[in-house]
């Protein structure tokens, strides 16, 4: 059975007054219990809910391989420590220098991979002081 999508299968109309008919309540109680079973059985299942381990963490097998923001806002990680730890490699998709300068969201601290446009030279750059700069010598990246 599928994870419940709303509470329409849980009817409390036959159990909210002393004069309610127990026979009528029985079918409603069964439907509600079935929904509870769906919730329990939906743990760690597709279209269900991710379970947590003994440390109250979502296990890596329940995390998606790709995170995509569902709105037009940036995807943000804000750990309490103030540090995001990447245990391996970050792959930045190259953008042309002109595309980097055309971005409307430029902010100090951004890091990108700048391309000269012919895919032969991709160089890591950072944004600071209103311009993109090369890591190697802090010089300004031209927009073309």
């Amino acid at each position: 059975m599928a994870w419940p999508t709303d509470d329409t299968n849980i009817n409390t109309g036959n159990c909210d007054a002393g004069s309610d008919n127990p026979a009528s309540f029985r079918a409603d109680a069964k439907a509600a219990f079935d929904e509870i079973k769906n919730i329990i059985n939906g743990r760690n299942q597709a279209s269900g809910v991710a379970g947590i381990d003994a440390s109250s963490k979502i296990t890596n097998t329940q995390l998606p391989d790709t995170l995509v923001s569902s709105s037009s806002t940036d995807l943000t990680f804000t750990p309490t420590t103030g540090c995001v730890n990447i245990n391996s490699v970050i792959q930045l998709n190259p953008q042309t220098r002109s595309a980097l300068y055309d971005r409307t969201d430029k902010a100090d601290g951004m890091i990108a991979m700048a391309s000269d446009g012919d895919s032969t030279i991709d160089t890591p750059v950072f944004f600071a002081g209103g311009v993109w700069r090369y890591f190697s010598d802090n010089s300004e990246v031209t927009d073309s």
Side-chain angles (χ1 to χ4, degrees), residues 24-88:
S24 298
F25 169 71
R26 186 174 180 183
D28 293 341
K30 171 69 167 92
F33 290 144
D34 287 344
E35 292 300 313
I36 293 170
K37 286 175 61 176
N38 287 338
I39 292 169
I40 293 167
N41 294 333
R43 181 175 182 259
N44 295 328
Q45 299 298 315
S47 298
V49 65
I52 57 175
D53 64 15
S55 300
S56 297
K57 307 286 187 220
I58 298 174
T59 61
N60 63 338
T61 58
Q62 293 299 306
L63 293 173
D65 292 328
T66 302
L67 297 176
V68 178
S69 177
S70 63
S71 65
S72 60
T73 61
D74 294 337
L75 185 61
T76 302
F77 296 100
T78 311
T80 304
T81 62
C83 181
V84 174
N85 184 359
I86 306 294
N87 292 324
S88 192

Side-chain angles (χ1 to χ4, degrees), residues 72-76 95 98-112 127-128 130 132:
S72 60
T73 61
D74 294 337
L75 185 61
T76 302
Q95 297 180 51
S98 61
L100 288 171
Y101 274 103
D102 287 345
R103 295 182 66 96
T104 59
D105 62 346
K106 294 182 296 286
D108 284 355
M110 287 182 143
I111 298 172
F127 194 81
W132 289 99

Side-chain angles (χ1 to χ4, degrees), residues 120-134:
T120 60
I121 301 173
D122 297 332
T123 308
V125 296
F126 65 97
F127 194 81
V131 296
W132 289 99
R133 299 181 178 279
Y134 291 106

